[in-house]
Amino acid sequence: MATSVKVLLRNKANKEGLYPLVVRIIKNRKPSYIYIGHYIDKKYWNEDERKVRKSHPNSARLNNLIAAKLAEANKTLIELQSNDMEISSQQIKKEIKNPMSDKNFNDLSKEYLNELESNKKLNQFYADRVRVNHVINFSKSTSLSFREIDETFLRRFMSYLKIEKGVSQRSIINNLVVIRTLFNRAIRSGIVEQKYYPFGRDKIKIKFPESKKVGLSIEEVQAIANNEELSTAEQHARNVWLFSFYLAGMRVGDVLKIKWGDIYDGRLHYRMNKNSKLLSLQLPEKAIDIISHYKDSRQENDDFIFPEMKKANLKSPKDILAKTKTATKKFNKYLASIATKCEIDKKLTMHIARHTFGNISGDKIPIQTLQKLYRHSSITTTINYQSNFTHKEEDEALNKVLDF
C-alpha cells in the first residue's frame, strides 16, 4: 500500500481554541500524527496550499518550519523504503522523531544492558558491561558508529585486549560475541546496513578455543570425603562441594538456594537459576548424610539448608548474586587448602565438582541421561562437554597398535 506524508491543521483545538500544525503519515490506511509544536487560528491556515497565510504575524517562520519538517519526513521515508523496510505508520513516526540512524554503539549498548538488568540476567549483565566498556575505552569515543567497527578496528581491538589488558583468548572471543550481538541488533533496527557487517566468512570469525576441563578421580574425591583433619570452615566448604558433586555438579548458586521444603518424597525439587527450568532429582544417600549436619539450624520448611543465603534480601537479585559470589570465593579459598591437605595437585574449586562428575561418569552413562543430569537444553552441548572426559576408544586404539 502507498504511503502519504502531508502537513495539515488537525481538527482538535486546545483550550485557547487554536489548532495544531501536524505532519500526517498514512500507511495501509492507518494514520499517525507528528505535532510540529505550534497552534494557530483556523483563519490563518490555507488548506489548498497547506501553508500558513501571510496574514499570520509569524507566517514566514512557520512555513519554513513546515517545509523543513515535511522534507525531513519524506527523506526518512525514502531511506526506509530504499532499505526495503516494511514498517507501519507508527514506526515511521518513531523513526522521524527519534532516528535510529543517529544511534551509535554506546546508545545501543546502554539499551542492551538495561534490558539484561531489567530481565534480572545479572551474571550476563555484569560480564557484558565490562566487555562494552572495553570497546568504548579502546575507541576513546562515546559516539562510536557501527560503520567504524570494521575488520581493521576489530583486529586492533583484539590485540589491545591481549597485549594491554592481558585477556585470555576465550575472553577475547566473548568480547567479540557482544559486539556481534549489538551489530546484529543495529542491522535489524536499520542503524547500519548489512554490507558493513564485519563478521563471517573471509572476515572476522568467532571460534571458541577448546578449553581444558580437568576433573578429580574417584580416589581424590574419596580423599576429600574421608579427611578428618579439616577445620570447621573447611568441613563446610567440603560439604557444599560434595553435595554439588553428588547431584551431577549442581551449580553453586542453585545449591545455596535449596530450602528444606524443596526436599520431599526422597527427592529434591528446585528451579534452576540459569534457565528457570523446574527439576526433580532423587537425593543420593551421601547427599542426605551431608544435609543431616545442618538439621539443628532448621526452624521451618522455608529455611535454607546452607547458611550463606539466610541474610540475603530475597527481593533483590543483586544482593542474591553478591552473596553467591562472596560465598563462592570463600569456598574456593578453603577448597584450595583442602586440596593441599589431601595432596591433590589439581586446582580444586566449586566448578570442578561438575568436571569431576563428568570425569568419573566417563562413558558409563547414556548421553541422553547425562543431558538430563547436567540440565543441558541441547544434547550437542552434553556431547561436547563429555568429550573432555571420554578417552576409552582412543586409548584402546593406541594399545592395539603398540601391543607388540
Side-chain angles (χ1 to χ4, degrees), residues 2 20 55 58 60 70 81 179 185 202 215 223 258 273 288 291 314-315 334 345 357 368 376 391:
S55 54
N58 288 315
L70 193 59
Q81 289 172 333
I179 297 173
R185 286 186 171 213
D202 300 326
I258 295 172
N273 183 54
I288 293 173
I291 63 176
L314 302 183
K315 293 182 180 180
Y334 290 120
D345 57 6
F357 188 89
Q368 292 85 355
H376 286 157
H391 312 293

Side-chain angles (χ1 to χ4, degrees), residues 53-144:
R53 297 182 189 277
K54 290 182 180 179
S55 54
H56 189 283
N58 288 315
S59 61
R61 290 182 180 180
L62 286 175
N63 285 328
N64 286 337
L65 178 61
I66 288 170
K69 290 291 183 182
L70 193 59
E72 182 184 356
N74 279 308
K75 179 185 176 184
T76 302
L77 181 60
I78 291 169
E79 288 176 351
L80 293 172
Q81 289 172 333
S82 67
N83 288 329
D84 296 322
M85 293 184 70
E86 186 60 34
I87 58 178
S88 68
S89 60
Q90 281 290 337
Q91 290 170 306
I92 296 171
K93 171 184 173 181
K94 184 178 178 182
E95 176 66 17
I96 292 170
K97 292 183 73 177
N98 184 23
M100 290 295 293
S101 55
D102 289 346
K103 290 190 175 182
N104 53 48
F105 178 86
N106 194 37
D107 296 328
L108 209 61
S109 65
K110 284 179 180 177
E111 292 179 7
Y112 167 71
L113 293 173
N114 287 337
E115 185 180 307
L116 290 178
E117 189 173 22
S118 298
N119 291 328
K120 297 181 174 58
K121 296 182 178 180
L122 296 181
N123 275 316
Q124 189 177 353
F125 165 73
Y126 288 122
D128 285 356
R129 186 173 64 177
V130 171
R131 293 159 186 157
V132 164
N133 287 336
H134 278 323
V135 179
I136 294 171
N137 291 336
F138 168 71
S139 68
K140 296 183 174 63
S141 172
T142 56
S143 57
L144 176 69

Side-chain angles (χ1 to χ4, degrees), residues 135-373:
V135 179
I136 294 171
N137 291 336
F138 168 71
S139 68
K140 296 183 174 63
S141 172
T142 56
S143 57
L144 176 69
S145 72
F146 281 92
R147 288 183 61 171
E148 292 178 88
I149 306 175
D150 55 13
E151 294 172 62
T152 302
F153 176 93
L154 290 175
R155 294 190 192 284
R156 287 173 45 236
F157 177 61
M158 292 162 69
S159 296
Y160 161 81
L161 291 177
K162 183 177 181 179
I163 297 170
E164 293 192 34
K165 293 295 180 180
V167 172
S168 69
Q169 184 59 30
R170 185 174 183 85
S171 293
I172 290 173
I173 297 300
N174 284 332
N175 277 266
L176 293 180
V177 168
V178 173
I179 297 173
R180 183 179 65 183
T181 297
L182 292 171
F183 216 108
N184 283 327
R185 286 186 171 213
I187 291 171
R188 289 196 297 270
S189 300
I191 297 172
V192 66
E193 295 176 60
Q194 177 72 43
K195 64 182 180 181
Y196 295 108
Y197 192 60
F199 300 98
R201 179 184 248 177
D202 300 326
K203 295 183 179 181
I204 300 296
K205 292 182 180 179
I206 293 181
K207 185 178 179 181
F208 283 95
E210 291 187 12
S211 57
K212 187 178 181 181
K213 293 180 172 62
V214 178
L216 305 189
S217 66
I218 293 175
E219 293 74 20
E220 288 168 330
V221 173
Q222 288 173 333
I224 292 171
N226 297 330
N227 194 301
E228 297 180 352
E229 299 178 356
L230 304 182
S231 67
T232 302
E234 288 169 343
Q235 289 175 35
H236 176 55
R238 172 179 65 183
N239 287 344
V240 177
W241 189 91
L242 287 173
F243 188 88
S244 168
F245 165 70
Y246 293 149
L247 290 170
M250 180 186 286
R251 293 178 177 86
V252 63
D254 293 327
V255 171
L256 295 180
K257 286 195 285 187
I258 295 172
K259 298 178 179 180
W260 290 104
D262 296 329
I263 298 172
Y264 51 91
D265 299 332
R267 304 184 67 83
L268 169 63
H269 305 264
Y270 77 105
R271 187 182 295 276
M272 283 181 67
N273 183 54
K274 186 173 183 180
N275 53 23
S276 297
K277 284 184 178 179
L278 279 170
L279 295 166
S280 173
L281 292 173
Q282 181 180 4
L283 272 186
E285 285 297 325
K286 292 180 178 180
I288 293 173
D289 181 60
I290 284 177
I291 63 176
S292 68
H293 296 289
Y294 299 86
K295 280 188 175 180
D296 290 344
S297 62
R298 174 183 179 178
Q299 295 181 354
E300 53 187 35
N301 273 353
D302 209 35
D303 285 345
F304 292 105
I305 292 177
F306 299 108
E308 278 69 26
M309 286 294 161
K310 289 185 184 292
K311 294 183 179 180
N313 178 0
L314 302 183
K315 293 182 180 180
S316 169
K318 288 185 177 180
D319 190 53
I320 292 172
L321 179 61
K323 284 186 168 53
T324 301
K325 287 186 173 182
T326 299
T328 304
K329 185 177 180 180
K330 176 187 69 174
F331 293 148
N332 288 342
K333 171 188 171 183
Y334 290 120
L335 288 170
S337 174
I338 292 169
T340 301
K341 289 183 177 181
C342 295
E343 298 182 355
I344 296 171
D345 57 6
K346 297 171 185 174
K347 186 176 182 180
L348 183 59
T349 65
M350 283 303 305
H351 192 65
I352 294 300
R354 196 169 182 83
H355 296 341
T356 299
F357 188 89
N359 186 46
I360 294 175
S361 64
D363 54 6
K364 302 172 187 174
I365 302 174
I367 202 71
Q368 292 85 355
T369 305
L370 278 175
Q371 181 190 359
K372 293 177 182 178
L373 288 172

